[in-house]
Amino acid sequence: MYVFLTAFLWLNAQHAFVSCTLTSELQSKIAKVNQEGPYLGLIIPNSFELDPLLNNPGYTASDTIIDVAGRRFRFGAIGDQSVILVMTGLSVINAAITTQLLLSLFSVEGVVHYGIAGNANPSLHIGDVAIPESWAHLALWSWQRYGLGADNTLPLEDNGDYTREFGYIKFADFTSNVTGDSPVDNQLNNIWYQPEEIFPVDGTPEQRQHAFWVPVDSKYYHIAKKLEGLELESCINATTCLSTTPKVELVKRGISQSIYLDNAAYRSFIYNKFEVSPVDMESASVALICLQQRQPFIAIRALSDLAGGGSAESNEADTFLSIAATNSVTVVIEFVKLLSLHSKSWSM
């Protein structure tokens, strides 16, 4: 009875959302495609990551395209798995809006997010495809007043709004041209990393929960392990190749923030503090929405540059963007095929 009531309320909430925001023609079109679902949602940041998938022989497009709220939802299949493709655009905000639209409007059974990313892990290389076990949004901060330190309570910390649990970066640690005996500090002081507030669909409205590291779906991650050893592209042409052979690597953590990270000092700091590998602008946002909506999720990110420079490959992202994008598509197609096979075995 409880399961039935929950499903009934959820369907009515979705109907109310659709009724308020869509024309009757669009509602009818969405209802029709949902009858053919459920689908696997593929969420893609930009066109240079979307186009290689659209042109890949492993993807079969259907004639159905639905445009809603500035987003284009493309329908098709990878192998025998029905998929919806949608491009988010840049940043955690766009990714969150797009993911919520996808899950609110369409019959979706899981989410795969893919694209390129910067790299903070010195043991990985350009062209490698990293699949983290968990993601965090690393740009929600409590910026501490100058003169206060690690032993001082943050504003509103006692109310449960902010926490010192996840640590901080002290700008003074990176001050240059200051002698060891100088009393000079840095007035930027400390930034404390904060978890996101979340409101799960199966929770009580307005009663917040918190999430910092958001794990990907354990079954998806187990399937992704089978991708290790997959052959990936290493050359743009006959004369321009990577110095290492790209590989699929399952890693511990990835982070997102609406910041293009091209700073070696900060890259080293977040790697040493949080043990992160890919750094991007969207994945954690997709992860948080999927956590709230209780949808299985995984992110697959090909590394296009060592954030802040310092690798053997010259020009990095400018040169090897196409290889990273191609490799991300290669991995996501193989992952979807494997997922489809496992889904059949789970349902038997």
Side-chain angles (χ1 to χ4, degrees), residues 222-238:
H222 178 75
I223 292 170
K225 291 180 180 179
K226 299 180 183 295
L227 297 169
E228 294 176 324
L230 184 66
E231 185 175 344
L232 301 174
E233 291 290 333
S234 59
C235 293
I236 297 173
N237 51 47

Side-chain angles (χ1 to χ4, degrees), residues 172-193:
D173 290 342
F174 300 91
T175 301
S176 61
N177 301 320
V178 175
T179 61
D181 58 352
S182 171
V184 174
D185 198 348
N186 188 314
Q187 291 184 345
L188 292 173
N189 203 21
N190 305 326
I191 283 176
W192 291 84
Y193 295 97

Side-chain angles (χ1 to χ4, degrees), residues 48-320:
F48 55 79
E49 295 146 321
L50 171 64
D51 290 345
L53 178 59
L54 296 178
N55 296 321
N56 192 290
Y59 171 72
T60 303
S62 77
D63 295 330
T64 303
I65 292 176
I66 297 180
D67 295 337
V68 182
R71 269 66 179 178
R72 172 157 290 181
F73 296 90
R74 305 168 187 264
F75 293 77
I78 295 175
D80 56 3
Q81 173 64 58
S82 297
V83 296
I84 306 176
L85 277 53
V86 60
M87 189 178 79
T88 67
L90 193 68
S91 87
V92 294
I93 293 175
N94 273 323
I97 291 170
T98 305
T99 305
Q100 187 62 67
L101 278 171
L102 171 72
L103 299 182
S104 294
L105 294 173
F106 299 105
S107 174
V108 174
E109 60 184 350
V111 170
V112 178
H113 177 54
Y114 80 89
I116 68 167
N119 174 34
N121 186 341
S123 68
L124 298 181
H125 302 280
I126 293 172
D128 289 350
V129 177
I131 306 178
E133 193 170 7
S134 60
W135 288 86
H137 177 216
L138 218 60
L140 183 57
W141 299 338
S142 175
W143 203 320
Q144 198 169 27
R145 184 178 301 185
Y146 177 68
L148 301 181
D151 294 330
N152 297 107
T153 303
L154 299 176
L156 304 179
E157 182 179 346
D158 290 339
N159 293 336
D161 292 305
Y162 300 108
T163 178
R164 285 173 288 162
E165 178 183 354
F166 300 102
Y168 64 97
I169 181 171
K170 183 179 182 181
F171 282 100
D173 290 342
F174 300 91
T175 301
S176 61
N177 301 320
V178 175
T179 61
D181 58 352
S182 171
V184 174
D185 198 348
N186 188 314
Q187 291 184 345
L188 292 173
N189 203 21
N190 305 326
I191 283 176
W192 291 84
Y193 295 97
Q194 301 299 314
E196 290 281 354
E197 291 184 354
I198 63 168
F199 300 87
V201 294
D202 52 2
T204 303
E206 299 182 353
Q207 288 191 6
R208 64 182 176 181
Q209 299 178 25
H210 288 95
F212 191 74
W213 294 112
V214 179
V216 303
D217 182 79
S218 59
K219 290 181 179 179
Y220 284 14
Y221 196 69
H222 178 75
I223 292 170
K225 291 180 180 179
K226 299 180 183 295
L227 297 169
E228 294 176 324
L230 184 66
E231 185 175 344
L232 301 174
E233 291 290 333
S234 59
C235 293
I236 297 173
N237 51 47
T239 59
T240 305
C241 294
L242 293 165
S243 59
T244 59
T245 301
K247 61 186 181 301
V248 177
E249 189 83 13
L250 272 67
V251 298
K252 190 171 184 180
R253 291 168 173 167
I255 63 102
S256 304
Q257 50 203 356
S258 287
I259 301 165
Y260 184 86
L261 177 55
D262 195 29
N263 182 276
Y266 191 67
R267 173 197 79 212
S268 296
F269 170 80
I270 59 174
Y271 174 74
N272 291 326
K273 186 171 187 62
F274 296 113
E275 200 176 344
V276 302
S277 295
V279 295
D280 66 33
M281 297 185 181
E282 295 86 21
S283 295
S285 188
V286 179
L288 282 159
I289 297 298
C290 288
L291 175 63
Q292 295 191 115
Q293 301 299 319
R294 302 305 190 202
Q295 284 285 350
F297 154 85
I298 198 168
I300 296 168
R301 286 284 186 160
L303 307 177
S304 62
D305 62 286
L306 182 65
S311 70
E313 289 85 7
S314 62
N315 296 323
E316 298 173 342
D318 293 338
T319 301
F320 297 108

